[in-house]
């Protein structure tokens, strides 16, 4: 695993495209998110199909072709400095094969921000573009619109990333120790279902794996982790940082699953690092070298997430 190319940080006046590659978007939340970005002296706009709804599949924000076209058009627009997802949900897997990755590579690096279902796109941006991406609050998400901690950490990451190099856990060490590696990860279910596809890395060897999920019962978390273990995807992972497990059942029931599946790998595992589907979610970069210290509960980036 190698370090990826860091895009440039944002500056006042930067143009930001908001796209909906996954689930349908609530218009009021999107407008609130756009207003917040304008308050940061950015120049945001919603992609043409950001508020679409698929005519038959109501869990999708419009057709696959239109969602893919919005993402590709925004990325290839030289006036756009950052592309931010409006929300998660489901659907990114359906459009990732429709994108012209050669054209997107030719467009050059820029900031990509998304979380949850966008895990599929984070992997694809790493594999196809060799680019650092940001996993954090999205433009039409409740956390982004209403939570000051999430807003402040994302803003710092975008504008002054040197001030957001260390993340500190609220929990304890599931397994002690220290490790260094390249950050990667996202939503556990998406990583498990993406295994073996053309836009997903073959494994996490040499990486610091950041994992979280939402709405998965403990047995389903066990199933996804077991899938990654059986395929060898976790072979050689340097360390693991766990984020939120919202709606995954009581944590006292989930923790033994995480300990059973991950605690025996012989690598440090940090709990509750504060990213994912939680109030005040922190923004984490994928593709940068970092140090994980399970004993102090910290993840420290060698360099800022953005240049």
């Amino acid at each position: 695993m190698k370090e990826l190319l860091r895009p440039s940080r944002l500056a006042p006046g930067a143009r930001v495209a908001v796209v909906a590659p996954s689930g349908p978007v609530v218009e009021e939340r999107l407008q609130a998110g756009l207003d917040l970005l304008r308050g940061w002296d950015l120049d945001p706009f919603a992609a043409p199909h950001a508020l679409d709804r698929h005519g038959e599949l109501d869990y999708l924000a419009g057709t696959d072709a239109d969602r893919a076209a919005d993402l590709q058009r925004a990325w290839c627009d030289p006036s756009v400095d950052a592309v931010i997802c409006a929300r998660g949900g489901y659907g990114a897997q359906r459009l990732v094969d429709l994108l012209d990755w050669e054209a997107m590579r030719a467009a050059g690096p820029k900031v990509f921000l998304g979380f949850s279902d966008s895990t599929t796109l984070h992997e694809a941006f790493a594999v196809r573009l060799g680019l650092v991406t940001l996993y954090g609050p999205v433009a039409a998400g409740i956390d982004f619109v209403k939570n000051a901690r999430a807003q402040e950490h994302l803003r710092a990451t975008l504008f002054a990333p040197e001030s957001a190099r260390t993340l500190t856990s609220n929990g304890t060490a599931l397994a002690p120790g220290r490790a260094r590696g390249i950050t990667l990860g996202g939503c556990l279910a998406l990583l498990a279902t993406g295994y073996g596809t053309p836009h997903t890395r073959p494994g996490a060897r040499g990486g610091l794996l950041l994992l979280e999920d939402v709405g998965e019962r403990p047995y389903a978390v066990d199933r996804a982790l077991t899938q990654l273990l059986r395929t060898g995807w976790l072979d050689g992972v340097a360390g693991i940082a766990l984020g939120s497990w919202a709606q995954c059942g009581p944590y006292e029931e989930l923790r033994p699953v995480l300990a059973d599946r991950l605690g025996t790998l012989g690598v440090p595992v940090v709990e509750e690092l504060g990213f994912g589907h939680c109030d005040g979610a922190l923004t984490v970069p994928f593709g940068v070298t970092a140090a994980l210290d399970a004993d102090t509960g910290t993840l420290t980036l060698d360099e800022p997430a953005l240049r």
Side-chain angles (χ1 to χ4, degrees):
M1 188 166 297
K2 62 181 180 179
E3 195 169 54
L4 304 181
L5 178 65
R6 293 180 299 144
S8 297
R9 68 186 66 195
L10 299 187
R15 196 159 187 248
V16 176
V18 177
V19 299
S22 303
V25 177
V26 177
E27 183 173 5
E28 292 78 7
R29 288 187 198 165
L30 177 60
Q31 294 305 324
L34 292 172
D35 287 343
L36 182 60
L37 292 170
R38 292 187 188 101
W40 293 359
D41 292 326
L42 295 172
D43 179 22
F45 68 96
H49 300 284
L51 291 173
D52 283 7
R53 289 178 179 265
H54 195 286
E56 297 177 344
L57 306 177
D58 61 4
Y59 49 82
L60 296 175
T63 66
D64 295 347
D66 285 341
R67 299 192 331 276
D70 272 1
L71 176 54
Q72 184 166 320
R73 186 181 300 113
W75 193 263
C76 293
D77 184 340
S79 73
V80 170
D81 301 292
V83 176
I84 298 178
C85 295
R87 61 158 295 187
Y90 170 74
Q93 285 187 320
R94 294 173 56 112
L95 65 78
V96 70
D97 295 312
L98 303 179
L99 297 169
D100 184 341
W101 290 102
E102 292 304 317
M104 292 174 67
R105 177 185 288 275
K110 58 188 67 177
V111 173
F112 175 78
L113 169 67
F115 94 130
S116 194
D117 187 61
S118 302
T119 297
T120 298
L121 295 171
H122 285 281
E123 278 291 291
F125 274 71
V127 172
R128 297 300 185 189
L129 305 184
L131 192 64
V132 168
T133 55
L134 302 179
Y135 191 87
V138 286
I142 294 177
D143 208 42
F144 177 70
V145 172
K146 295 187 176 182
N147 191 288
R149 179 177 185 250
Q151 294 169 5
E152 290 165 5
H153 193 261
L154 173 58
R155 185 174 184 176
T157 303
L158 293 175
F159 289 96
E162 63 279 355
S163 68
R165 285 179 52 196
T166 299
L167 284 72
T168 302
S169 168
N170 293 321
T172 58
L174 195 69
R178 299 176 181 177
R180 292 179 55 78
I182 308 297
T183 58
L184 77 160
C187 187
L188 170 62
L190 273 298
L191 290 171
T193 55
Y195 175 77
T197 62
H199 309 295
T200 301
R201 278 171 282 207
R205 182 175 296 278
L208 294 179
L209 179 60
L210 281 67
L211 285 179
E212 62 97 21
D213 215 323
V214 60
E216 300 286 353
R217 303 297 298 176
Y219 79 87
V221 172
D222 185 317
R223 180 173 58 199
L225 290 173
T226 301
Q227 161 77 355
L228 295 180
L229 287 166
R230 293 181 65 214
T231 60
W233 198 85
L234 288 172
D235 290 355
V237 67
I240 300 172
L242 303 175
S244 65
W245 302 93
Q247 303 169 39
C248 292
Y251 191 66
E252 61 267 22
E253 296 179 11
L254 180 63
R255 191 176 193 268
V257 174
L258 299 171
D260 179 80
R261 298 285 77 191
L262 301 175
T264 58
L265 290 174
V267 302
V269 182
V270 171
E271 297 178 273
E272 301 180 58
L273 198 60
F275 65 92
H277 295 76
C278 57
D279 292 340
L282 302 177
T283 301
V284 293
F286 293 154
V288 299
T289 302
L292 181 70
D293 188 331
D295 302 313
T296 60
T298 55
L299 177 74
T300 303
L301 311 180
D302 280 10
E303 295 182 300
L306 305 175
R307 291 186 290 110

